[in-house]
Amino acid sequence: MKMLTLKLKPKMIFGIILAVTGVVVIVLTFVSNHLTQSESVAAVISASTDEERRNYLATFGWETAEEVEEKELTIPQSWNQVYSDYNEVQINQGFDLTEYKGKKVKLYTYTISNYEGSAEGIVADMLVYNGMLIGGDLCNTSAENGFLVGFSGE
């Protein structure tokens, strides 16, 4: 019977540990990136037509008036606290505007006719990039009762 003996020096042990750690980090990074990408693909919402945008709002129970306002705007490259806070609202409802910094987007504004407690001044703003919904909100445009919340109204 033959025996194999392996003498490892401290430098060799350190090298093996370093190599194994590197492989683990690479695998974890790869898995993490692919999970994040698959989650964002699942959240794609088409909003290229007026009907698609109104139907999306209807999934939350909102009824919209006939008129719609359309504007083009650029999401700033650098954000102040207001934009950071606004993006928190977006993140809480499954959107994130970070990757759209510096991009031109369409802003569609719909008047909401069935908001509980205050029928006037409630609008839904929808941000659309290349026909896909990337964010938005419900807000009260009056100075007295102003608020801004996600599409669910919470």
Side-chain angles (χ1 to χ4, degrees):
M1 177 182 337
K2 289 190 174 189
M3 274 195 143
L4 180 64
T5 306
L6 183 63
K7 260 190 177 177
L8 295 177
K9 296 179 181 174
K11 286 183 180 180
M12 180 73 105
I13 294 171
F14 180 72
I16 291 171
I17 291 172
L18 195 60
V20 169
T21 303
V23 169
V24 168
V25 168
I26 290 170
V27 167
L28 288 175
T29 303
F30 179 79
V31 169
S32 172
N33 285 341
H34 284 308
L35 288 177
T36 303
Q37 289 174 357
S38 66
E39 288 171 8
S40 64
V41 169
V44 171
I45 299 164
S46 180
S48 57
T49 66
D50 183 60
E51 181 181 10
E52 288 176 331
R53 292 186 295 274
R54 288 179 191 272
N55 286 342
Y56 182 75
L57 292 172
T59 63
F60 296 99
W62 305 125
E63 296 172 8
T64 55
E66 288 301 315
E67 71 277 350
V68 59
E69 185 178 329
E70 178 183 339
K71 293 181 189 174
E72 185 172 273
L73 58 91
T74 302
I75 296 177
Q77 189 66 40
S78 59
W79 290 353
N80 58 18
Q81 191 59 44
V82 173
Y83 271 96
S84 295
D85 291 345
Y86 184 73
N87 198 44
E88 279 301 312
V89 172
Q90 301 314 308
I91 290 170
N92 289 337
Q93 62 180 352
F95 300 109
D96 187 357
L97 298 177
T98 305
E99 66 184 86
Y100 301 100
K101 287 182 174 183
K103 306 265 189 206
K104 288 186 179 192
V105 301
K106 296 275 188 179
L107 170 66
Y108 296 94
T109 302
Y110 293 89
T111 301
I112 301 297
S113 58
N114 66 330
Y115 192 84
E116 220 177 280
S118 78
E120 287 189 34
I122 308 298
V123 297
D125 291 320
M126 302 179 85
L127 297 168
V128 178
Y129 181 75
N130 288 340
M132 300 312 225
L133 184 65
I134 61 166
D137 61 82
L138 288 183
C139 64
N140 185 332
T141 57
S142 74
E144 297 170 2
N145 303 317
F147 64 82
L148 186 140
V149 294
F151 289 122
S152 67
E154 298 175 6

